[in-house]
Amino acid sequence: MIMTFMEVILTRYVPLSLFIALILALGAFVLPAQISAESLLQGAHAVTSSMPKSCRACHRGMRMAIAGEEKVCFSCHGDAAERSMMQSRGYLVGSVELADIKTVLNKPYNHPVLAVANVHRQNETLPEDQLKAPRHAECVDCHNPHVVSKENPFAGIPGRRVVNAIVDIEFEYELCYKCHADSANLPGDSTNKHAEFKVTNPSYHPVEGEGAKAYVISLKDPYKARAERPGDVSILTCGSCHGNDDHNGPKGPHGSNYEGLLTENYVTADGYSESAFVYALCYKCHERSSILGNESFPEHARHIIGQTSPGGGTSCYSCHDAHGSSKYTSLIRFNEDVVEPSRDGRLEYKQTVGVALSGSCTLICHGVEHVERSY
Ligand code: HEC
Ligand code: HEC
Ligand code: HEC
Ligand code: HEC
Ligand code: HEC
Ligand code: HEC
Ligand code: HEC
């Protein structure tokens, strides 16, 4: 949100209750037009036919101060009982359908909105630069309640650095990078997502830009390596894979019953019998029959189904990274929990330059050694 000098002075130095009272009482008359109630509040929450009490829908109580925790949002975006209370008190009117985000956040894999409290600070800057800072995610980290709209749920969230200024984010991934890229406090088992998705990598799923490969045989409609016809989809979002497992429920990365906060099931461990469900996430976009028909990697079926089927399968995860690979083509990144270096200490994948569907591996996997084993 770009603030005028007056707004900064007012928001920083005038107590909130006084500020809101000032705006409401004097608004359009005395203060410059930019800080009238109407202009501070835009988008979905500024629609007075559904929220006639304006600021007071959220800034309630004597002090009107607000902490940026989820409780205030749940009064309308939570369960039906709370919502009808807001309706009976006249804060919410009309017949708008509001999503129940609270129930979704209670699913087993989620953003820790409910679990973490009192860490978010107004005017904090993300990505976090303190190594030991506790991690958090609140509704207001991803949605600016003063300007959020149905068309742009993250409108007015600052985040993108352009030279020395911080400007509002434009793409969903920029929002996610505020906490999943350069943050000094990333958990130990987590990686910098920008490093995985950047378009200078040898391979990556196409989120920041179109993919490294111009043709990928297994892709299902409407997904394409290159968008050529209207309706072709060659750019994904984080939300293509992360979000609610209930596809008719509220959209967004609030919670899922699938591990990894994924929209579809995806088993990362080896030893499962292959099925449409086990690798459902990948098969949403990549034709299962093409993968198992070895149309791209001649050894796919042997690994994925396994030689001692049932129960001998290798997960895609043992060979591929779902985000990108800074080292290899074809999203190859070996899962080092199961793949070790060969006896002479090499862990390598080589794709034969200029020859389609040809390469070699040097490694030990489940006790089986490959030394420049080619295909
Ligand atoms: C949909 C709920 C909602 C409505 C409506 C709303 N606010 Fe807020 N407001 C919040 C929340 C939540 C925060 C805390 C944000 C944070 O912690 O990052 C906040 C913070 C503020 C702040 C201090 C933080 C800042 O932005 O620097 C001011 C001032 C403010 N609101 C004024 C208003 C005024 C004036 C109105 C009416 C024109 C209004 N708000 C309407 C939810 C709302
Ligand atoms: C008084 C009720 C009320 C409160 C409190 C409230 N909202 Fe909303 N919110 C609405 C209404 C009404 C809409 C518009 C829905 C529509 O147009 O279908 C909306 C829309 C949204 C949207 C846009 C997506 C959509 O469904 O249209 C987001 C995101 C959102 N609110 C987040 C928040 C957050 C975050 C908070 C807490 C800081 C909050 N809301 C507090 C009533 C409320
Ligand atoms: C304000 C910070 C913040 C933002 C913005 C944010 N996240 Fe997170 N995210 C977290 C925190 C905190 C966790 C808990 C684990 C951790 O500390 O990384 C988490 C966890 C996750 C997980 C792992 C969940 C699991 O069950 O394994 C995924 C996936 C994820 N986020 C995706 C996203 C996506 C996609 C976006 C952008 C739409 C996003 N995040 C934006 C803070 C954030
Ligand atoms: C939402 C759709 C979608 C999902 C889900 C998806 N992919 Fe992809 N995938 C694509 C698109 C689009 C491309 C084309 C990228 C390009 O042009 O390089 C691609 C390309 C690939 C490539 C080839 C990359 C290269 O440079 O050679 C591999 C390997 C791959 N995906 C594996 C997977 C695996 C494994 C999964 C499951 C974890 C998965 N994909 C899930 C859409 C998807
Ligand atoms: C093609 C599908 C796909 C896309 C697109 C995708 N992810 Fe993921 N993501 C996965 C899968 C599968 C996992 C679980 C396995 C793993 O950890 O690699 C995962 C795991 C994660 C995790 C938890 C593990 C960790 O490293 O912390 C985070 C956080 C995450 N993704 C963030 C993102 C963000 C941010 C984006 C967008 C910039 C994104 N993802 C886009 C498939 C995807
Ligand atoms: C980590 C970031 C993140 C957090 C935390 C978060 N949201 Fe969202 N939310 C999103 C994104 C991204 C979308 C848009 C998904 C889409 O349109 O694909 C979204 C969508 C929504 C929608 C629209 C749902 C629909 O079906 O259209 C509402 C309402 C909403 N969020 C409210 C909330 C509330 C209330 C909270 C806190 C209780 C919250 N969100 C926390 C990222 C977040
Ligand atoms: C044993 C390692 C291994 C496993 C397990 C594996 N792959 Fe692959 N995959 C490869 C290699 C190597 C290539 C590159 C072949 C080439 O282009 O030379 C590849 C290529 C691909 C491609 C890109 C070409 C295309 O259009 O098909 C996709 C997509 C893909 N794999 C998806 C998957 C999925 C989905 C799974 C799990 C169901 C999986 N892979 C399991 C090694 C593996």
Side-chain angles (χ1 to χ4, degrees), residues 49-100:
S49 56
S50 48
M51 287 172 58
K53 298 195 182 178
S54 186
C55 321
R56 285 199 168 267
C58 299
H59 296 272
R60 296 193 296 273
M62 288 296 285
R63 290 179 54 241
M64 296 189 220
I66 201 159
E69 295 293 328
E70 65 278 9
K71 195 169 173 288
V72 61
C73 313
F74 287 155
S75 60
C76 293
H77 297 283
D79 54 51
E82 275 190 78
R83 194 152 53 244
S84 64
M85 189 111 83
M86 291 298 278
Q87 278 160 334
S88 69
R89 293 162 66 192
Y91 290 112
L92 181 65
V93 301
S95 57
V96 277
E97 285 282 318
L98 293 181
D100 177 354

Side-chain angles (χ1 to χ4, degrees), residues 296-343:
S296 46
F297 176 42
E299 302 290 338
H300 257 154
R302 182 148 47 147
H303 286 92
I304 299 166
I305 296 167
Q307 286 172 303
T308 52
S309 183
T314 311
S315 169
C316 325
Y317 183 78
S318 291
C319 300
H320 293 291
D321 191 294
H323 298 137
S325 174
S326 57
K327 244 169 126 179
Y328 299 125
T329 51
S330 301
L331 301 179
I332 300 292
R333 180 272 301 119
F334 296 110
N335 172 7
E336 297 195 19
D337 289 343
V338 295
V339 183
E340 304 163 64
S342 61
R343 275 185 281 264

Side-chain angles (χ1 to χ4, degrees), residues 7 24 57 60-61 69 72 74 97 111 119 125 127 151 154 198 218 235 257 260 273 289 299 307 310 315 363:
E7 278 177 290
L24 289 179
R60 296 193 296 273
E69 295 293 328
V72 61
F74 287 155
E97 285 282 318
H111 266 105
V119 175
T125 48
E151 300 67 43
F154 35 82
K198 63 181 180 214
S218 61
I235 301 281
N257 285 311
S273 300
S289 60
E299 302 290 338
Q307 286 172 303
S315 169
L363 51 81

Side-chain angles (χ1 to χ4, degrees), residues 228-249:
E228 273 149 12
R229 275 172 260 260
D232 286 355
V233 176
S234 63
I235 301 281
L236 313 179
T237 64
C238 310
S240 305
C241 298
H242 293 288
N244 199 343
D245 59 302
D246 174 2
H247 299 191
N248 300 316

Side-chain angles (χ1 to χ4, degrees), residues 183-220:
S183 304
N185 63 347
L186 277 185
D189 56 355
S190 197
T191 49
N192 180 327
K193 298 295 165 244
H194 170 58
E196 294 174 348
F197 281 108
K198 63 181 180 214
V199 295
T200 49
N201 279 342
S203 60
Y204 51 89
H205 263 130
V207 170
E208 294 188 24
E210 280 190 331
K213 236 185 184 174
Y215 180 66
V216 171
I217 191 168
S218 61
L219 283 176
K220 301 206 283 209

